[in-house]
Amino acid sequence: VNPNGEVVFTNSADSDGYLISIDGTNYTPVVPGSESTSYDYLNQITASAGTRTVYIKSTNTDGDNYEESDPVTVEVTVYTLSVNVNNDEYGTVTSSSINAISGATYTTSDNTLTLSDGRTVTTSKKDAAGYKTTFTGWSSESGTIRQNTTITANYTREESNHFTINSNGGTITETEGWTIDGEEATKGIDSGNAIGSFPEVSKTGYLLAGWNTSEDGTGDAVTEETINNENITVYAQWIE
């Protein structure tokens, strides 16, 4: 039994079929190959952790010539691979626990951890308004499982710059990603990024002329393309 859960054995000359079991009672028929047989038994072996015993015995459809053999057994050690996140508020994983056969290997690439038997675990960040969440890597990039093992997906979170608009006497329309409080709306913007689109604002009898860092329009003009590097409030500028 290899670490990928394949049970491989040489065929018997007198047998035209095999039976396989993980508990020695509930056998599954196996169609033999030409000279040797390989059977994927990963799911059954890793159904639980600990010492697992695989049973194999040969059969023959002509009972007069060949009797069902006594089983051959092999013990397999199964360990638990635990996968978590350094902070549950920062990210998630698609599976928190996987049973793996001793000797199985794992590698990581970006946000995916891959076992040599083909199974994968993926981590994803959780966004939070006003913060920048970043995946910084796995606690172990690769290795071989020979004991119960824990691997952690690591994230950091930094407070974003608070960009606030003030309607300056107008009304702000509810907009996804913005938190509205009276005449003001705020969203987080990472340093070095453009502001992007503004919420829709209106004021009866007036047209929006733009945005400015000063309430009276004597400061700096601000547009969607403006790069934001600090906490700042800008004010709507109205014309009749």
Side-chain angles (χ1 to χ4, degrees):
V1 180
N2 66 31
N4 296 332
E6 293 177 299
V7 180
V8 183
F9 51 90
T10 302
N11 295 342
S12 169
D14 296 319
S15 177
D16 61 5
Y18 297 91
L19 298 171
I20 189 169
S21 171
I22 198 65
D23 55 17
T25 55
N26 299 312
Y27 281 86
T28 300
V30 176
V31 177
S34 56
E35 295 181 0
S36 65
T37 299
S38 176
Y39 187 72
D40 183 358
Y41 214 43
L42 176 67
N43 291 338
Q44 292 82 352
I45 295 173
T46 59
S48 63
T51 300
R52 309 283 280 160
T53 304
V54 178
Y55 294 75
I56 303 169
K57 56 185 178 180
S58 58
T59 62
N60 189 291
T61 56
D62 186 354
D64 294 333
N65 296 327
Y66 191 82
E67 295 181 356
E68 186 175 282
S69 73
D70 292 330
V72 174
T73 63
V74 58
E75 289 188 347
V76 182
T77 303
V78 177
Y79 294 112
T80 297
L81 172 64
S82 300
V83 186
N84 58 28
V85 179
N86 63 321
N87 189 317
D88 290 339
E89 294 184 359
Y90 295 175
T92 62
V93 290
T94 53
S95 179
S96 60
S97 180
I98 295 180
N99 290 331
I101 297 173
S102 179
T105 60
Y106 63 88
T107 57
T108 58
S109 178
D110 297 326
N111 66 332
T112 301
L113 181 151
T114 303
L115 286 166
S116 56
D117 59 36
R119 292 176 294 172
T120 62
V121 178
T122 301
T123 183
S124 301
K125 70 176 181 178
K126 290 182 179 179
D127 290 320
Y131 293 87
K132 179 183 180 180
T133 305
T134 304
F135 173 61
T136 59
W138 300 91
S139 59
S140 175
E141 294 183 355
S142 61
T144 301
I145 298 173
R146 300 198 183 280
Q147 60 185 358
N148 292 332
T149 303
T150 298
I151 301 175
T152 302
N154 293 309
Y155 288 86
T156 59
R157 178 170 286 178
E158 299 175 346
E159 188 173 9
S160 300
N161 295 324
H162 291 166
F163 180 74
T164 302
I165 63 168
N166 185 297
S167 65
N168 207 3
T171 301
I172 303 173
T173 300
E174 290 281 350
T175 304
E176 183 178 358
W178 293 78
T179 301
I180 297 177
D181 183 12
E183 290 191 359
E184 292 189 338
T186 301
K187 76 171 181 177
I189 301 176
D190 297 334
S191 292
N193 287 351
I195 292 168
S197 60
F198 289 73
E200 182 179 339
V201 293
S202 60
K203 185 177 181 179
T204 302
Y206 292 81
L207 294 174
L208 180 65
W211 299 89
N212 197 278
T213 56
S214 295
E215 186 174 0
D216 61 5
T218 58
D220 297 324
V222 175
T223 69
E224 294 182 359
E225 289 76 28
T226 300
I227 302 299
N228 183 62
N229 289 305
E230 59 182 338
N231 295 328
I232 190 174
T233 298
V234 298
Y235 299 85
Q237 302 299 303
W238 302 102
I239 56 175
E240 295 188 69

